[in-house]
Amino acid sequence: MPLHSLVVSGIAAADLAACRMLLRGGSRSFHAASLLLPARIREPASALYAFCRVADDAIDQSGTSSALATLHSRLDFIYRGAPANDPIDRAFAAIVERHAVPRVLPDSLLEGFAWDLEARRYRTIEDLHDYAARVAGCVGVMMTLVMGRRDAATLARASDLGVAMQLTNIARDVGEDARAGRLYLPEDWLREVGIDPDAFVANPEFSPALGVVIDRLLRHADALYQRAAFGIAGLPADCRPAIHVARLLYAEIGNEVTRRGLDSVTHRAVVPGRRKIWLSLRAAIASVQLQSSNSAPVLAA
């Protein structure tokens, strides 16, 4: 029987292989955590990640509204059950059907990408939540649906985790983003410490005042990571280790930024491989002790 005719978890094996290849090359942290997922979840998670990855790459490489329009068109066909003749689209269409993924979730992801095309800035931390919920929180929610959980409390904590991860990315990439003409740090926070946002983007340099803002963002992310732990406890037991590992690995990026003096303009923080292994083992063991709580509020975003 030819490879393309085999089906795994509703996804043709050849299509799944293409998704896995993207996963290995696109995010080392996500790939490492995914290896701890049970096969029944790892396979659809790979397909979900692959579509999000190719959508992100399409916007980054093109930087045009036509690329965004093409992605919306691809989603139209996926949700009609007639995806384009592309392994990533076919795999994602299988996930959408099998796990009843609402269209509003991938649409929200594309809305966040549209904001990137506009080079939108964010005045307050709540405004930044709006962005992070779209480009990352909705991905966490889709992952949770794939794991078979649809209750509002668990989905809210999944969004918390996605938002926390995005805030970590922003704190790590301040210099890289500014040199590309982008700014994600809350402008009100910058002005409070005497930094003019336009002047910073024009000449991105690290300063103690900027360190105060980066530290504030990382502490905000840490609070969301703590909330997210309660949601992980609500996931199937065999899924908890992988998501807890992902949570700790991403939080460790923020810790590395702090170790480097909060200077993410001159340097880009990278977590050493040995520390990733140690954290993964620690997280996998600790995941069995997580406790669930529904008391935390839902982000307005």
Short mmCIF file of all heavy atoms in Angstrom, two decimals, residues 1-8 12-14:
data_model
loop_
_atom_site.label_atom_id
_atom_site.label_comp_id
_atom_site.label_asym_id
_atom_site.label_seq_id
_atom_site.Cartn_x
_atom_site.Cartn_y
_atom_site.Cartn_z
N MET A 1 0.86 -1.20 0.00
CA MET A 1 0.00 0.00 0.00
C MET A 1 0.89 1.25 0.00
O MET A 1 1.81 1.37 0.80
CB MET A 1 -0.89 0.02 1.24
CG MET A 1 -1.89 1.17 1.26
SD MET A 1 -2.94 1.12 2.75
CE MET A 1 -3.87 -0.37 2.44
N PRO A 2 0.67 2.22 -0.92
CA PRO A 2 1.52 3.41 -0.97
C PRO A 2 1.40 4.23 0.30
O PRO A 2 0.34 4.27 0.93
CB PRO A 2 0.99 4.17 -2.20
CG PRO A 2 -0.39 3.65 -2.42
CD PRO A 2 -0.37 2.23 -1.96
N LEU A 3 2.48 4.95 0.63
CA LEU A 3 2.54 5.70 1.88
C LEU A 3 1.41 6.72 1.98
O LEU A 3 0.79 6.87 3.03
CB LEU A 3 3.90 6.40 1.99
CG LEU A 3 4.11 7.25 3.23
CD1 LEU A 3 4.10 6.37 4.48
CD2 LEU A 3 5.45 8.01 3.14
N HIS A 4 1.14 7.41 0.86
CA HIS A 4 0.15 8.49 0.95
C HIS A 4 -1.25 7.98 1.24
O HIS A 4 -2.14 8.73 1.65
CB HIS A 4 0.14 9.32 -0.34
CG HIS A 4 -0.28 8.56 -1.55
ND1 HIS A 4 -1.59 8.26 -1.82
CD2 HIS A 4 0.44 8.02 -2.57
CE1 HIS A 4 -1.68 7.59 -2.95
NE2 HIS A 4 -0.47 7.42 -3.42
N SER A 5 -1.50 6.67 1.03
CA SER A 5 -2.83 6.15 1.27
C SER A 5 -3.03 5.72 2.72
O SER A 5 -4.15 5.45 3.14
CB SER A 5 -3.11 4.97 0.34
OG SER A 5 -2.27 3.88 0.68
N LEU A 6 -1.94 5.59 3.48
CA LEU A 6 -2.08 5.26 4.89
C LEU A 6 -2.61 6.46 5.65
O LEU A 6 -2.29 7.60 5.34
CB LEU A 6 -0.72 4.84 5.45
CG LEU A 6 -0.08 3.58 4.82
CD1 LEU A 6 1.31 3.39 5.39
CD2 LEU A 6 -0.94 2.36 5.07
N VAL A 7 -3.41 6.20 6.65
CA VAL A 7 -4.01 7.29 7.43
C VAL A 7 -3.70 7.08 8.90
O VAL A 7 -3.90 5.99 9.44
CB VAL A 7 -5.54 7.37 7.20
CG1 VAL A 7 -6.14 8.45 8.09
CG2 VAL A 7 -5.84 7.65 5.75
N VAL A 8 -3.18 8.12 9.55
CA VAL A 8 -2.87 8.09 10.97
C VAL A 8 -3.64 9.21 11.65
O VAL A 8 -3.48 10.37 11.32
CB VAL A 8 -1.35 8.28 11.21
CG1 VAL A 8 -1.04 8.15 12.69
CG2 VAL A 8 -0.54 7.28 10.40
N ALA A 12 -3.32 11.64 6.44
CA ALA A 12 -2.52 10.78 5.58
C ALA A 12 -1.09 10.78 6.10
O ALA A 12 -0.55 11.82 6.50
CB ALA A 12 -2.57 11.27 4.15
N ALA A 13 -0.45 9.62 6.10
CA ALA A 13 0.88 9.48 6.68
C ALA A 13 1.89 10.40 6.02
O ALA A 13 2.76 10.97 6.69
CB ALA A 13 1.34 8.03 6.60
N ALA A 14 1.81 10.56 4.71
CA ALA A 14 2.74 11.44 4.01
C ALA A 14 2.54 12.90 4.43
O ALA A 14 3.50 13.66 4.57
CB ALA A 14 2.57 11.30 2.50
#
